[in-house]
Amino acid sequence: MITCIIIEDELPAQKILKSFLNKTLNIELLASFQTAKEAHRFLQTNTVDFVFLDINLPDIMGIDFMKTLINPPFIIITTAYPDYALDSFDLETIVDYLVKPFSFDRFLKAIRKIEQRVKQIEAEPNNSVFLNIDKTLHKVLLHEILYIESDRNYLTFVTLEKKYVFIDSLKNWTTKLPEYFIQVHKSYIINVNHIDKISGNEIGINKISIPIGRTFKSNFMMKFNPEN
């Protein structure tokens, strides 16, 4: 199921998008917002595949808002002002541009483009991830990741060579990674292939001690079997 949210300050326009989505298979609307501020709070702790984004929002321009996100989802622009189209396509996450009022057929064309982009990502070999940091995509090989640490709204990916810090939540990564990544604490996901030792409630990885949380210990010990 492909997930999305709507960021649109005009309720009639929201209603039209919701109506079109109700006629569309395999697309799930998670939430609707009238301001970028409301949407930002949601995106800090939730992941979506794409966003219906109005350019003219009451608190900040839609495109400017998306530029503030470290890992922005795909975007379908919805606006009554076609003059913005050229500038908006400078963002590589923009998939399509719908000028109001748009028909259901035109809406479906935009959805098909989203489906194609999502399929392309799913078809890529699952041996690396791309981290969007300061508007630059960094390719990180999964087998080189030692552990992932959460500190409030920030994540740190610690690899054999360096650290990558960006805004995201640990929750968003618990289902994205292969099975050899296990959450062992509310603030840590580890790569079990890099475990050096386990002593009591601590795991040693590359001379770093990582705590094992009480609620995660039984699951970790059940999944981690060094003899396999």
Side-chain angles (χ1 to χ4, degrees), residues 34 48 76 108 129 138 143 172 174 183 188 212 215 223:
Q34 289 183 271
V48 297
I76 295 178
L108 282 180
V129 291
H138 298 263
H143 72 269
N172 290 339
T174 54
Q183 185 169 3
Y188 289 95
I212 304 175
T215 59
K223 289 185 176 181

Side-chain angles (χ1 to χ4, degrees), residues 141-195:
L141 296 177
L142 291 174
H143 72 269
E144 292 187 353
I145 299 172
L146 302 177
Y147 61 90
I148 305 168
E149 181 179 3
S150 173
D151 183 9
R152 297 184 182 180
N153 294 326
Y154 287 87
L155 286 187
T156 301
F157 274 57
V158 180
T159 73
L160 292 168
E161 300 293 334
K162 61 188 300 184
K163 297 180 179 180
Y164 301 87
V165 182
F166 57 100
I167 298 175
D168 206 338
S169 70
L170 205 65
K171 177 183 176 182
N172 290 339
W173 290 90
T174 54
T175 59
K176 290 182 180 180
L177 299 168
E179 61 183 7
Y180 55 86
F181 284 90
I182 300 177
Q183 185 169 3
V184 297
H185 187 273
K186 65 179 181 180
S187 300
Y188 289 95
I189 291 175
I190 66 164
N191 182 341
V192 298
N193 296 323
H194 289 287
I195 292 177

Side-chain angles (χ1 to χ4, degrees), residues 4-8 33 35-37 39-40 42-43 48-55 57 59-77 88 91-95 132 134-135:
C4 71
I5 62 172
I6 296 171
I7 310 176
E8 167 65 70
F33 306 97
T35 68
K37 184 178 181 179
H40 184 261
F42 179 87
L43 291 172
V48 297
D49 293 307
F50 74 100
V51 175
F52 288 103
L53 178 69
D54 187 16
I55 287 181
L57 296 171
D59 45 358
I60 183 175
M61 296 293 287
I63 295 300
D64 292 335
F65 165 62
M66 280 297 161
K67 289 178 179 178
T68 68
L69 299 179
I70 302 299
N71 290 295
F74 293 127
I75 303 166
I76 295 178
I77 292 293
S88 71
L91 282 175
E92 61 182 25
T93 54
I94 302 290
V95 174
N132 194 331
D134 295 330
K135 301 178 182 178

